[in-house]
Amino acid sequence: MKAARLILITVFALLVALPCWSSEQVRLKYVGTIYTDESGVQLKSPEGVTVTDNFIYVADSGNQRILRYELSDGRPVSETIFPVAKSYPLMVRPDSKGNMYVLDGKNRRIDLLSPEGAPRGSLDPKGLPDDGKVVPRSFALGGDGTIYLLDIFSQRVLVLDGRGQFVRGIPFPPKHGFFSDVTVDRQGNVYLLDSVEAVVYRAFKGEEEFSALSESMKDLMNFPTSIAVDNSGRIYLLDQYGSGLAVVSSDGSFLGHKLSMGWSDGMLYYPSQISIDQEGNVFIADRNNNRVQHFSVVD
C-alpha cells in the first residue's frame, strides 16, 4: 500500500511539473518559398519580412536591398527592388500610405523611404522627456500610424505618433533578460518579447506598464527573437537558435512547438523574423537558408 501511494505521489508531482498545455490545436501547412528575385538573384541572409493585405516586404540584408512583392491570392507574383547600399536592413514596415520604415542595423536607426523607394531621412523622436540616446532594437506600426519603438538604451518602449512626436513611454519590467522584439495587435495592445527568459509581456492599450502574460518558457524553446499575433489572439514566437516556431494562446499558455531545423522546404535554419496577415498566412525570414518561407495556419 505504501509503495502504491508513493507511486501516485510521484506521478502527481511529475504532472504538476509539466508545462501547461492547452487543448487548442494549431497546425501549419507549408505553402511555398521565395528563393530569388525575378531576375534570379538569390536572397542573401534575409533578416526581415512583413506581410500586409497586398504586399510582402523583405529585408534582403546581405544584398543590402528591400524587396516588395505584390500578392495575388496570398502568393507573391512580382517584385520591386529598392537598393539601400549604405545600410544593413534588419526589418521593414510599411505604413498605410506605402511609406517604408527600415531598421538599419549598421547605423542603428530607422530610415524612411517613400513608396517609390526615395530616401526621406531617418526617424527622429521628438519631444522626449529626457535627452537620452535612442538605440532601436525593433519597432512596430499600429493601424493608426502610431510607432512603437523598442529602445534598448533607455529600456522602454517609446510610443510615438506618425510624425515621430513622443506620446508616452512604457518602461521595461524591473526583472528581465534581453528584450528583442515588440508588436501590437489590432486592438492596440502592445507585446514585448524577452528572449533570454522566453517570457511574453503585454500592456493593454493605454496602460503605462507591462505585465507578464506567460511564465518563463526557456525550457521549451531556445532564444525566441521575433513575435507576432494573429487575429485570434494567438502569439507566435520564432525560436531563432532552436530553428522552430512556438505558439502561445491569448492567455499565455503554451500550445506547442512547430517546425524544426533543416534545409528542406518547410524546415528552418536560424530564422530571424515572422509576420502574419489577416488570413492566417505566415511568412518567415529563414535567414541562414537564404529564403523566405510561406505557411498557412490550419485550425
Side-chain angles (χ1 to χ4, degrees):
M1 179 67 70
K2 289 184 178 180
R5 182 177 299 175
L6 179 61
I7 292 173
L8 287 174
I9 292 173
T10 302
V11 170
F12 177 76
L14 288 172
L15 289 174
V16 170
L18 287 174
C20 180
W21 289 73
S22 169
S23 60
E24 183 179 357
Q25 296 296 314
V26 177
R27 293 187 296 116
L28 290 182
K29 177 183 177 182
Y30 170 75
V31 178
T33 301
I34 300 173
Y35 286 103
T36 68
D37 63 19
E38 284 189 328
S39 62
V41 176
Q42 171 74 48
L43 272 61
K44 185 177 180 181
S45 303
E47 293 275 359
V49 62
T50 297
V51 59
T52 69
D53 293 340
N54 302 310
F55 297 99
I56 304 170
Y57 295 80
V58 177
D60 189 12
S61 310
N63 287 322
Q64 294 181 283
R65 61 183 185 168
I66 302 299
L67 302 178
R68 184 178 64 200
Y69 293 84
E70 189 174 354
L71 289 174
S72 177
D73 294 328
R75 297 172 184 264
V77 293
S78 63
E79 99 280 336
T80 306
I81 299 173
F82 305 108
V84 286
K86 295 182 179 181
S87 69
Y88 189 82
L90 295 179
M91 65 170 55
V92 53
R93 307 283 197 194
D95 65 14
S96 60
K97 298 179 180 179
N99 299 298
M100 293 170 277
Y101 291 68
V102 181
L103 178 60
D104 177 5
K106 179 180 179 181
N107 299 296
R108 294 194 172 191
R109 67 189 185 199
I110 297 175
D111 292 328
L112 306 178
L113 302 177
S114 73
E116 296 73 36
R120 287 188 168 175
S122 301
L123 178 65
D124 181 21
K126 305 174 183 66
L128 296 179
D130 52 54
D131 57 359
K133 182 180 179 182
V134 174
V135 180
R137 175 62 178 82
S138 178
F139 71 99
L141 298 182
D144 60 356
T146 302
I147 304 165
Y148 301 85
L149 194 156
L150 174 54
D151 178 14
I152 58 175
F153 187 85
S154 66
Q155 299 195 14
R156 61 187 172 183
V157 172
L158 296 175
V159 182
L160 313 172
D161 66 18
R163 300 170 298 171
Q165 187 71 33
F166 177 81
V167 176
R168 61 192 174 99
I170 313 176
F172 290 174
K175 296 181 180 180
H176 60 268
F178 177 77
F179 290 111
S180 61
D181 201 13
V182 63
T183 193
V184 58
D185 64 19
R186 295 184 181 278
Q187 289 73 45
N189 306 313
V190 186
Y191 298 79
L192 191 60
L193 173 60
D194 183 340
S195 295
V196 173
E197 297 299 326
V199 174
V200 176
Y201 291 85
R202 179 175 61 192
F204 287 108
K205 184 177 181 179
E207 284 189 338
E208 300 296 330
E209 62 181 24
F210 286 102
S211 300
L213 175 62
S214 73
E215 297 181 352
S216 175
M217 298 175 285
K218 62 183 180 181
D219 292 336
L220 301 170
M221 61 191 83
N222 190 357
F223 208 78
T225 57
S226 181
I227 183 171
V229 181
D230 70 12
N231 280 349
S232 300
R234 287 179 299 230
I235 302 159
Y236 298 76
L237 306 177
L238 195 59
D239 188 0
Q240 185 176 92
Y241 294 167
S243 293
L245 181 65
V247 186
V248 178
S249 73
S250 58
D251 64 5
S253 58
F254 187 72
L255 297 180
H257 204 277
K258 312 297 178 182
L259 310 179
S260 59
M261 179 180 286
W263 300 268
S264 302
D265 288 338
M267 306 180 81
L268 305 173
Y269 188 43
Y270 290 96
S272 52
Q273 192 177 14
I274 180 173
S275 183
I276 304 175
D277 70 8
Q278 298 185 65
E279 305 301 323
N281 290 295
V282 178
F283 288 86
I284 295 175
D286 191 7
R287 183 185 61 199
N288 280 27
N289 276 327
N290 300 304
R291 63 191 182 186
V292 170
Q293 296 209 67
H294 178 192
F295 301 86
S296 62
V297 175
V298 181
D299 291 318

